[in-house]
């Protein structure tokens, strides 16, 4: 144990028996694992982790020989009582996920809730989280923000949330896998308008860290030419008052009619007006068809 670890342990007498420690681990750069986290991971009785092989590599690098127990979505029902039993018996337990903060789009929420219900203490050893890391360097408003994580895959639920996001005035943070990024960007473009501010934070804390923006449209263009690779977090600007419809239905139809007269196909006319007003392209297109154009 080096001197900083000794100082940390003597400061707080960690770990204490019967306590669950929720420990943040790096999202790419091992240097982001805090000395307090290292010290704790070496000292607790057990570590619960999503993937024992994945976390095993990190634990080996820091010289932690603590026994690990797998804890993931599909073994939660069996594992929960076992982990609570360990705490009851006076053992200390650390919970880590594959990367970042457990409980944020990762297993943890149910364990923390169950442990608290049993009257045990839960202490978080804070660490990196892709959501807040992407937010603070996006240049988008940080005073008020909301987190959506991964959108549901079921069509109806997904559309409902996309609609809510399009009306949300706070900055919204989303997670997405690289192979589904373009689809999500296109959906966001359809619901929010392609002019809406957006930054896609790629490979945070890693050598090829990159931000792609400044709008949904610009990100679509970039990723159509450059295949999305690596982890990405999306930071979407909130709806602003200027984006709210300023025109009446009659005026909207007149504007689209004028565009069509100038040679735009109907869908293109709806798209242009959607970008100008922040309204949904599909709603404008339907409006055109209601008046039989
Ligand atoms: N618990 C983690 C946290 O605190 O950020 C999130 C886990 S979630 C299963 C994984 C998602 O987080 C990825 O699909 C990606 O959207 C985001 N993510 C994780 N690491 C990232 C990184 N280095 N750069 C950008 N996004 C990242």
């Amino acid at each position: 144990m080096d001197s900083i670890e000794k100082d940390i342990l003597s400061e707080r007498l960690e770990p204490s028996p019967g306590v669950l420690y929720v420990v943040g681990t790096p999202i790419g750069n091992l240097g982001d694992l805090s000395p307090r986290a290292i010290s704790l991971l070496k000292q607790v009785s057990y570590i619960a982790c999503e993937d024992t092989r994945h976390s095993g590599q990190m634990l080996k690098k820091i010289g932690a020989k603590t026994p690990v127990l797998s804890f993931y979505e599909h073994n939660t029902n069996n594992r929960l009582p076992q982990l609570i039993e360990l705490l009851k018996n006076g053992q200390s337990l650390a919970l880590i996920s594959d990367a970042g903060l457990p409980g944020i789009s990762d297993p943890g929420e149910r364990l923390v809730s169950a442990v608290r219900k049993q009257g045990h203490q839960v202490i978080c050893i804070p660490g990196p989280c892709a959501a807040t890391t992407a937010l603070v360097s996006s240049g988008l408003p940080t005073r008020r923000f909301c987190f959506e994580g991964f959108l549901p895959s079921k069509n109806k639920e997904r559309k409902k949330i996309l609609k809510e996001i399009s009306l949300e005035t706070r900055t919204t943070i989303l997670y997405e896998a690289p192979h589904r990024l373009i689809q999500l960007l296109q959906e966001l473009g359809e619901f929010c308008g392609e002019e809406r501010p957006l930054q896609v934070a790629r490979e945070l804390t890693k050598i090829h860290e990159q931000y792609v923006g400044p709008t949904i449209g610009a990100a679509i263009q970039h990723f159509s030419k450059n295949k999305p690779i690596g982890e990405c977090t999306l930071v979407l600007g909130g709806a602003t008052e200027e984006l709210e419809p300023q025109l009446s239905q009659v005026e909207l139809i007149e504007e689209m009619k004028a565009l069509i007269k100038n040679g735009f196909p109907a869908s293109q006319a709806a798209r242009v007006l959607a970008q100008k007003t922040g309204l949904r392209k599909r709603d404008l297109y339907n409006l055109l068809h209601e008046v039989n154009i």
Side-chain angles (χ1 to χ4, degrees):
M1 197 184 302
D2 61 27
S3 75
I4 189 161
E5 288 175 37
K6 276 188 201 135
D7 286 354
I8 290 159
L9 285 182
S10 59
E11 220 172 79
R12 244 190 108 144
L13 286 179
E14 287 175 335
S16 299
V19 174
L20 170 67
Y21 294 90
V22 180
V23 183
T25 60
I27 55 171
N29 188 327
L30 189 62
D32 293 333
L33 189 62
S34 74
R36 183 177 171 209
I38 295 175
S39 163
L40 195 103
L41 291 172
K42 287 181 177 174
Q43 306 297 316
V44 278
S45 323
Y46 291 93
I47 300 172
C49 54
E50 266 188 287
D51 178 340
T52 52
R53 272 200 300 182
H54 175 91
S55 295
Q57 290 170 9
M58 180 192 75
L59 295 171
K60 197 170 166 200
K61 280 187 190 151
I62 63 168
K65 298 195 175 71
T66 314
V68 293
L69 300 163
S70 66
F71 178 69
Y72 46 85
E73 200 188 334
H74 298 294
N75 77 353
T76 298
N77 286 344
N78 289 338
R79 266 289 188 243
L80 269 182
Q82 295 167 357
L83 296 176
I84 288 169
E85 196 59 29
L86 288 176
L87 295 172
K88 262 191 200 152
N89 293 337
Q91 311 281 353
S92 57
L93 179 66
L95 170 68
I96 58 175
S97 64
D98 284 350
L101 268 185
I104 303 298
S105 299
D106 268 342
E109 185 182 331
R110 276 186 63 196
L111 176 64
V112 169
S113 163
V115 166
R116 281 201 173 277
K117 277 193 190 128
Q118 293 293 320
H120 292 281
Q121 206 182 352
V122 181
I123 292 175
C124 177
I125 313 291
C129 172
T132 46
T133 306
L135 172 70
V136 295
S137 38
S138 67
L140 290 161
T142 57
R143 197 172 65 81
R144 298 177 73 225
F145 64 90
C146 54
F147 175 69
E148 284 290 346
F150 294 98
L151 292 190
S153 53
K154 284 198 183 125
N155 200 33
K156 198 172 160 203
E157 235 180 298
R158 190 174 177 94
K159 294 261 143 78
K160 182 177 168 280
I161 295 185
L162 279 162
K163 173 84 187 156
E164 286 167 10
I165 289 174
S166 74
L167 301 172
E168 176 58 64
T169 54
R170 293 169 293 179
T171 302
T172 298
I173 305 164
L174 298 135
Y175 285 162
E176 190 49 287
H179 63 282
R180 287 194 291 260
L181 178 67
I182 292 184
Q183 188 203 325
L184 176 60
L185 289 172
Q186 283 167 344
E187 289 172 317
L188 289 172
E190 200 182 314
F191 278 81
C192 308
E194 290 191 6
E195 293 308 306
R196 180 77 75 90
L198 172 95
Q199 291 288 345
V200 179
R202 259 191 72 237
E203 298 279 75
L204 288 166
T205 77
K206 302 182 195 175
I207 295 169
H208 299 294
E209 173 161 349
Q210 181 190 30
Y211 280 80
V212 178
T215 60
I216 297 175
I220 292 175
Q221 275 200 4
H222 174 90
F223 287 111
S224 312
K225 291 187 206 129
N226 306 278
K227 190 176 177 221
I229 300 171
E231 313 246 42
C232 7
T233 295
L234 290 78
V235 186
L236 177 73
T240 58
E241 284 202 4
E242 298 101 74
L243 287 175
E244 277 172 17
Q246 304 285 324
L247 303 172
S248 68
Q249 283 208 348
V250 174
E251 288 166 324
L252 290 169
I253 291 166
E254 285 310 314
E255 287 228 8
M256 284 190 283
K257 271 186 181 173
L259 287 165
I260 291 167
K261 217 172 162 186
N262 282 328
F264 281 82
S267 69
Q268 193 67 22
R271 183 191 204 65
V272 170
L273 206 60
Q275 285 177 357
K276 183 173 163 191
T277 59
L279 291 170
R280 284 172 54 183
K281 180 188 156 197
R282 194 188 309 142
D283 292 343
L284 291 166
Y285 189 73
N286 289 343
L287 192 62
L288 266 180
H289 281 79
E290 277 166 28
V291 291
N292 287 327
I293 295 227

